[in-house]
Amino acid sequence: MTTSTVTAPASAKTSRKAAAPDPDRARRRRRLAQWGFVAPAVAFMLLFFGYPLVRNVVMSFQHYTPKTFFTGEAPFNGTDNWASVFQDVLFGKALWHTLVFTAGSLLGQFCVGLALAVFFTRRFPLGGVLRSLILLPWLVPMVVSGIVWRRILDQDTGVLNTFLDTFGLGGNTPWLTSPDMALLSVILVNIWIGIPFNMVILYGGLQEIPKELYEAASLDGASAWRTFRSVTLPMLKPVITVVLVLGFMSTVKILDLILALTDGGPADATQTLGTLTYQNSFVELDFGAGAVVGNVLILISAVFAVFYLRANRTEGK
């Protein structure tokens, strides 16, 4: 009797192999996921930064008046707004005052802030309390600081003149009412406001410098000044760059402090590009001219940012 055996097909033949994943499809999914995370930030930037920037540029080429808000009509006038702003003597003064104000403020804030940061690296009783008290000018709103300092610097009833008069040092100085003194006074007040920020950031940078470097410099017989110049400053350079960049961005466009102290006066002695933008747009209601000055401010900031990025790129190489 013969028996026939039927060979079962191998499992490898009956089961299908899982299809290999498509690398292009996986790459597309990964790219889509990346854009999904980035899209909200891009939308936010375009909505709250891109649109206002483009709108400001367009407005600078239009005859934009309060009537436009009701009629919606803003006739294109070419470069008339730009020509009228650049031909205005006040624009040249405001540009110069902005440069002086920014340079003087940054220099004063950085020097005093660095000196205080180095001072507070030494441990002493109540050091933390004093460091906290120095932060107060930075925490107070700028408008409040401006109003308080306007009272302090008042020529007739100000605390500063009263104090100077007590010691016979001349108590009748027109700090805010003299064209020769007003800009200097505003710079000094802004230095007072910006010192805490510089001190905090630079103090944090000083804490990151390895102590071994100072020990090595001491063993080599380096003086305190030589150690500061050869160790502290080079190691602090990245932090210094951040401090100066952030300080420039906040100082070049400052408005509220000057309005609270002098309102751009006396005789336009403290008029800057920020206050000129405000005056053209909200006092004279010439929104086209105000947009022009605003665009100049944006351009100055952009040029500074380009130089900063190039310097960092060169340093990284």
Side-chain angles (χ1 to χ4, degrees), residues 101-106 108-109 137 142 145 149 153 183-196 198 247 250-252 254-258 261:
F101 175 78
T102 303
S105 297
L106 289 181
Q109 291 172 359
M142 196 167 289
S145 298
W149 274 101
L153 298 176
L183 184 59
L184 175 61
S185 301
V186 174
I187 291 174
L188 292 177
V189 173
N190 193 49
I191 289 174
W192 176 81
I193 292 174
I195 285 174
N198 284 256
S250 62
T251 303
V252 73
I254 203 165
L255 170 66
D256 41 4
L257 177 65
I258 299 177
L261 283 171

